[in-house]
């Protein structure tokens, strides 16, 4: 991956990877993203080297390199400086990843305290270090259609490598149970992370929390009615060390009903609640968000022309309350979509679609609507596919007037051989602001060559 947009205040866009694989042995060099476990190494991209060995039922992995570069403070950009971070990780496992498996993993992450000058650091930015020992076991009982997974980790975290202070110890435990058949499934998960657990190999983990969730799905009426839903409970800042405890609850139900092969509809309903208790320096707050979505679809034929009609309607609301003297705003949203498509011949398909959305934030109302025709024309023997779309859009925010936009788009794809193609794209956009300002026009064209190896 190569880009000319290179700046000093974020991670590099350029990436290069080399991954030769010889039967059960694979090498990795350059940029790669090993995923060992949730609590050790999960979402970090490493610039370095590693290997993956899978002889028979063994699973052996190793990774070493830099997971992030140093970013210095800059007077022109409001970014927080960060030290360069180097990691070394490994894992050893035995078993089948789709059945029974036992695996242990280790992660050692260290920030390079010499990667930034003293003038670039502040009291907030400190070189960190972290060691995490992880354990994972899973078992599948084929006759009972039950699978169980247990994952745990123990971490030693050093907030500042330059300070002579003891490392903070932390623990994390996760349990998943699932019973699944062809017609139904039910699952449950429990996750507990105490306040001291930190993993520098997974930026998506938040500690000091307890989370529990259940999911389920089933088929009724000979498969014509599908139901699935989930419910979750999560409490953050359980120890109340720095902030007040926060409780989150979410429930959702999805249904799909298809009484006939050519007609059906999908229905979604759910709501989420968030409650934060007040503390000495933090106001309490509460939020409840609801959504309802309805999406019918119909296939039919008129005079030998096969046609498809789809639509959707979504209603969403969010109510906020707080103990602070300044009230919070609420939100109401509505989204409508519809699309019609007709196969006029084996080589020509016509379409027409439209959409409308409205968002009310009490202090301002935003409306966006658009519609337009389109077509898809293909010549199989000539291997040419042409598509076009004409969009008319209107948008309004507050009472400043309505903006209008007209944008025709066209694409021609010529498959010169089964593995080679030329793609020509053209786009014209005419935008007019509501206020008395000059019209904005934009023209774009591109010619691409694509090869399939």
């Amino acid at each position: 991956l190569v880009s000319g947009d290179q700046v000093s205040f974020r991670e590099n866009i350029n990436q290069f990877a080399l991954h030769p694989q010889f039967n059960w042995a694979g090498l990795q060099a350059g940029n790669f993203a090993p995923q060992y476990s949730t609590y050790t190494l999960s979402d970090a991209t490493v610039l370095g080297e590693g290997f993956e060995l899978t002889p028979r039922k063994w699973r052996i992995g190793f990774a070493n390199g830099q997971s992030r570069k140093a970013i210095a403070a800059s007077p022109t950009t409001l970014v927080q400086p960060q030290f360069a971070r180097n990691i070394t990780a490994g894992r050893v496992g035995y078993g089948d990843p789709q059945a029974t498996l036992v695996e242990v993993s280790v992660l050692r992450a260290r920030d390079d305290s010499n990667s930034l000058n003293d003038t670039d650091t502040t009291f907030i930015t400190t070189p960190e270090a972290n060691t995490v020992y992880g354990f994972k076991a899973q078992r599948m009982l084929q006759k009972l259609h039950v699978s169980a997974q247990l994952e745990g980790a123990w971490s030693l975290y050093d907030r500042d490598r330059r300070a002579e202070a003891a490392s903070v110890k932390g623990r994390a435990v996760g349990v998943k149970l699932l019973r699944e058949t062809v017609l139904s499934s039910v699952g449950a998960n429990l996750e507990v992370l105490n306040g001291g657990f930190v993993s520098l190999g997974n930026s998506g983990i938040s500690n000091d929390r307890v989370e529990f969730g259940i999911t389920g799905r089933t088929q009724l009426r000979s498969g014509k009615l599908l139901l699935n839903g989930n419910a979750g409970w999560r409490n953050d800042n359980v120890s109340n060390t720095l902030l007040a405890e926060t409780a989150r609850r979410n429930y959702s139900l999805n249904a799909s009903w298809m009484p006939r092969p050519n007609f059906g509809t999908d229905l979604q309903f759910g709501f989420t609640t968030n409650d934060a208790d007040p503390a000495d320096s933090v106001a309490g707050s509460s939020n409840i968000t609801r959504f309802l979505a309805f999406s019918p679809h119909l296939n039919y034929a008129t005079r030998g022309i096969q046609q498809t009609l789809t639509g959707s309607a979504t209603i969403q609301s969010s109510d906020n309350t707080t103990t602070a003297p300044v009230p919070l705003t609420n939100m109401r949203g509505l989204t409508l979509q519809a699309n019609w498509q007709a196969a006029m011949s084996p080589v020509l398909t016509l379409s027409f679609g439209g959409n409308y959305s409205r968002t009310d934030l009490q202090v301002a109302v935003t409306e966006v609507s658009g519609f337009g025709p389109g077509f898809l024309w293909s010549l199989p023997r000539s291997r040419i596919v042409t598509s076009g779309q004409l969009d008319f859009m209107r948008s309004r925010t507050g009472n400043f007037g309505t903006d209008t936009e007209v944008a025709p788009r066209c694409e021609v794809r010529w498959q010169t051989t089964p593995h080679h193609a030329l793609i020509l794209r053209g786009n014209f956009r005419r935008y007019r602001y509501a206020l008395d300002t000059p019209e904005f026009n934009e023209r774009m064209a591109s010619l691409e060559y694509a090869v399939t190896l």
Side-chain angles (χ1 to χ4, degrees):
L1 178 64
V2 180
S3 173
D5 182 16
Q6 298 298 315
V7 293
S8 60
F9 55 83
R10 66 169 176 237
E11 297 296 326
N12 291 326
I13 298 179
N14 292 344
Q15 292 189 12
F16 172 79
L18 182 65
H19 184 192
Q21 182 76 28
F22 306 95
N23 199 0
W24 51 265
L27 301 178
Q28 296 169 327
N31 297 95
F32 61 102
Q35 296 183 355
Y36 289 172
S37 72
T38 305
Y39 303 125
T40 54
L41 187 58
S42 180
D43 69 345
T45 298
V46 182
L47 176 58
E49 64 282 338
F51 62 79
E52 286 287 338
L53 307 178
T54 56
R56 296 186 179 181
K57 292 187 177 182
W58 287 97
R59 296 168 55 84
I60 304 172
F62 174 79
N64 179 73
Q66 186 181 89
S67 63
R68 73 178 191 183
K69 73 172 187 179
I71 296 179
S74 173
T76 59
T77 57
L78 299 177
V79 296
Q80 180 178 332
Q82 69 179 25
F83 291 92
R85 178 167 297 165
N86 301 312
I87 67 170
T88 301
R91 69 171 175 181
V92 177
Y94 182 81
D96 185 355
Q98 305 299 325
T100 301
L101 173 69
V102 177
E103 186 175 284
V104 294
S105 57
V106 180
L107 167 69
R108 176 59 175 168
R110 290 168 59 92
D111 288 352
D112 185 0
S113 57
N114 297 322
S115 58
L116 291 180
N117 298 323
D118 294 337
T119 57
D120 295 328
T121 62
T122 63
F123 291 105
I124 300 177
T125 304
T126 57
E128 303 172 286
N130 190 210
T131 302
V132 184
Y133 303 92
F135 170 79
K136 179 180 179 181
Q138 66 181 33
R139 173 70 170 169
M140 180 174 292
L141 304 176
Q142 298 286 353
K143 295 183 179 181
L144 300 177
H145 307 283
V146 174
S147 63
Q149 184 181 101
L150 172 64
E151 190 171 357
W154 183 58
S155 70
L156 293 172
Y157 174 64
D158 189 354
R159 177 70 177 84
D160 190 349
R161 292 183 53 204
R162 300 170 299 189
E164 296 182 0
S167 300
V168 179
K169 301 178 181 179
R171 300 178 303 277
V173 177
V175 181
K176 295 181 180 179
L177 298 174
L178 177 65
R179 186 182 187 276
E180 187 172 23
T181 64
V182 176
L183 299 179
S184 64
S185 69
V186 59
N189 67 279
L190 173 66
E191 196 171 27
V192 181
L193 290 81
N194 71 349
F197 181 81
V198 177
S199 175
L200 300 181
N202 188 353
S203 60
I205 278 188
S206 59
N207 60 358
D208 199 10
R209 63 181 173 90
V210 177
E211 184 174 0
F212 175 72
I214 56 175
T215 61
R217 67 169 178 86
T218 185
Q219 297 185 22
L220 303 174
R221 301 185 63 84
S222 302
K224 295 181 179 180
L225 178 61
L226 305 179
L227 299 175
N228 69 81
N230 65 76
W233 300 266
R234 172 172 167 173
N235 283 23
D236 293 292
N237 307 317
V238 179
S239 63
N240 292 318
T241 303
L242 298 176
L243 298 174
E245 186 174 356
T246 301
R248 301 180 183 179
R249 309 290 184 261
N250 67 82
Y251 311 90
S252 67
L253 176 64
N254 304 322
S256 178
W257 180 50
M258 197 167 184
R260 296 182 179 180
N262 64 333
F263 172 73
T265 184
D266 298 326
L267 178 67
Q268 292 180 305
F269 170 75
F271 67 93
T272 303
T273 65
N274 290 277
D275 298 309
D277 298 331
D280 295 337
S281 58
V282 180
S285 62
S286 177
N287 166 269
I288 179 170
T289 299
R290 312 172 187 86
F291 73 89
L292 175 64
F294 178 71
S295 305
H297 46 87
L298 174 65
N299 297 323
Y300 62 97
T302 303
R303 295 182 179 180
I305 300 177
Q306 191 66 33
Q307 303 179 54
T308 302
L309 184 62
T310 60
S312 67
T314 303
I315 302 174
Q316 184 176 358
S317 66
S318 181
D319 296 321
N320 301 282
T321 59
T322 179
T323 59
V326 179
L328 300 176
T329 59
N330 301 324
M331 187 275 289
R332 300 290 184 270
L334 172 65
T335 301
L336 302 175
Q337 290 183 344
N339 185 75
W340 169 80
Q341 191 176 71
M344 307 302 295
S345 68
V347 299
L348 179 62
T349 300
L350 301 181
S351 64
F352 187 86
N355 61 81
Y356 170 79
S357 65
R358 186 178 191 272
T359 304
D360 187 354
L361 300 175
Q362 292 186 322
V363 295
V365 176
T366 300
E367 289 182 301
V368 178
S369 62
F371 66 95
F375 72 92
L376 177 65
W377 182 38
S378 60
L379 298 177
R381 294 184 179 180
S382 302
R383 297 186 293 272
I384 296 178
V385 178
T386 305
S387 62
Q389 183 72 37
L390 177 60
D391 291 331
F392 301 89
M393 297 189 64
R394 295 166 58 89
S395 58
R396 178 179 72 90
T397 301
N399 295 319
F400 298 101
T402 302
D403 302 336
T404 58
E405 178 180 352
V406 179
R409 298 189 298 270
C410 183
E411 176 179 318
V412 179
R413 181 185 181 94
W414 179 27
Q415 195 75 32
T416 58
T417 67
H419 297 281
H420 302 268
L422 293 175
I423 305 172
L424 175 63
R425 292 188 177 96
N427 179 46
F428 173 72
R429 178 170 175 258
R430 177 181 176 182
Y431 193 86
R432 183 183 295 277
Y433 293 95
L435 300 178
D436 188 15
T437 57
E439 185 178 275
F440 175 79
N441 294 330
E442 179 184 64
R443 298 171 180 84
M444 292 189 301
S446 66
L447 178 62
E448 302 178 15
Y449 165 70
V451 57
T452 304
L453 301 178

